[in-house]
């Protein structure tokens, strides 16, 4: 796998995360907030976002898998909900790394709505708007990006590159260049 262009540096990410945190704090003033992070990709984003919020929260996690080591969507989403915490009658904000086809968030919305939350909103770090296959409006978006595979800041390509502090483009077909 070969790393390409840097789309967002660690500094740019940091600035945008703080802006999102301020927006969210404003919108949830006077309300309890339960944040559900979608593992594993949104781990870094969620912890940065929460630490940039000057407020109390509760949190839980969901594990979603649809890609299974591939970079092509199967539209077939598996969800593990044991760790998400109580959702009924609460203000819930789901935080994910990226929305691509929209299948993952659509599935999460369907499942969480069945628990009757007081409100349900979605925050993603990246939005590949041009790739959407099911309509999905995200409430808070860090950056909109072109339809390329990206890694870093928690996002992976076949489990590689999550540790990068910036967001980089990757070419998943260039497999002969592991060392870059
Ligand atoms: P969707 O169901 O097609 O919207 O895809 C959502 C999930 O696919 C995300 O939560 C990511 O885990 C993964 N994904 C989609 N595009 C990328 C990418 O460019 N890099 C890394 N993961 C991605
Ligand atoms: Mg994900």
């Amino acid at each position: 796998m070969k790393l390409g262009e840097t789309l967002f540096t660690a500094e740019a990410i940091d600035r945008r995360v703080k802006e999102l945190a301020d927006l969210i704090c404003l919108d949830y003033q006077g309300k309890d907030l339960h944040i559900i992070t979608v593992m594993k990709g949104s781990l870094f984003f969620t912890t940065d976002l929460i630490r940039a919020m000057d407020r109390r929260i509760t949190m839980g996690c969901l594990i979603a898998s649809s890609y299974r080591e591939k970079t092509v969507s199967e539209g077939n989403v598996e969800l593990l909900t044991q760790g998400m915490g109580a959702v009924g009658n609460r203000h819930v904000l789901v935080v994910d790394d990226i929305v691509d086809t929209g299948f993952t968030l659509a599935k999460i919305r369907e499942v969480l709505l069945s628990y009757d939350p007081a409100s349900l909103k979605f925050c993603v770090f990246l939005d590949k708007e041009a790739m959407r296959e099911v309509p999905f409006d995200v409430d808070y978006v860090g950056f909109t990006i072109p339809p390329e595979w990206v890694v870093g800041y928690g996002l992976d390509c076949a489990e590689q590159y999550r540790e990068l502090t910036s967001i980089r483009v990757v070419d998943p077909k260039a497999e002969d260049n592991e060392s870059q």
Side-chain angles (χ1 to χ4, degrees):
M1 275 175 258
K2 202 171 172 184
L3 286 176
E5 190 193 348
T6 298
L7 292 187
F8 307 106
T9 61
E11 293 72 28
I13 292 171
D14 194 47
R15 276 196 301 274
R16 186 62 186 136
V17 168
K18 290 197 167 83
E19 286 171 4
L20 285 175
D22 287 347
L23 258 177
I24 293 167
C25 279
L26 212 61
D27 289 353
Y28 285 91
Q29 251 174 14
K31 292 176 182 160
D32 287 340
L33 174 58
H34 185 60
I35 293 181
I36 299 181
T37 182
V38 185
M39 301 278 268
K40 296 174 274 197
S42 71
L43 207 48
F44 299 176
F45 175 45
T46 309
T47 54
D48 285 349
L49 192 67
I50 289 173
R51 288 178 302 172
M53 283 181 194
D54 189 19
R55 60 157 296 148
R56 295 178 65 174
I57 56 108
T58 55
M59 64 182 292
C61 67
L62 275 175
I63 300 178
S65 43
S66 56
Y67 282 80
R68 303 180 183 284
E69 313 277 305
K70 284 190 272 171
T71 55
V72 179
S73 174
E74 292 165 349
N76 180 353
V77 181
E78 243 185 86
L79 271 193
L80 293 179
T81 58
Q82 290 97 320
M84 72 178 180
V87 164
N89 216 17
R90 299 175 83 186
H91 295 288
V92 175
L93 177 66
V94 174
V95 179
D96 205 355
D97 52 359
I98 187 166
V99 56
D100 185 1
T101 61
F103 284 119
T104 303
L105 293 189
K107 178 74 182 180
I108 291 173
R109 180 173 55 194
E110 178 196 320
V111 170
L112 292 198
L113 283 178
S114 73
Y115 289 88
D116 283 327
S119 70
L120 179 62
K121 284 192 183 187
F122 291 81
C123 173
V124 298
F125 180 60
L126 299 173
D127 185 355
K128 271 197 228 175
E129 224 170 21
M131 294 292 287
R132 207 74 94 249
E133 287 182 33
V134 286
F136 199 97
D137 284 331
V138 184
D139 303 279
Y140 306 96
V141 175
F143 300 103
T144 300
I145 62 164
E148 287 179 292
W149 200 262
V150 293
V151 293
Y153 198 52
L155 290 119
D156 72 309
C157 184
E159 292 302 325
Q160 298 299 304
Y161 298 126
R162 290 192 196 273
E163 71 283 0
L164 297 177
T165 56
S166 55
I167 293 286
R168 305 273 303 264
V169 174
V170 75
D171 179 359
K173 281 171 238 126
E175 301 219 15
D176 49 339
N177 213 342
E178 291 285 340
S179 60
Q180 294 216 9

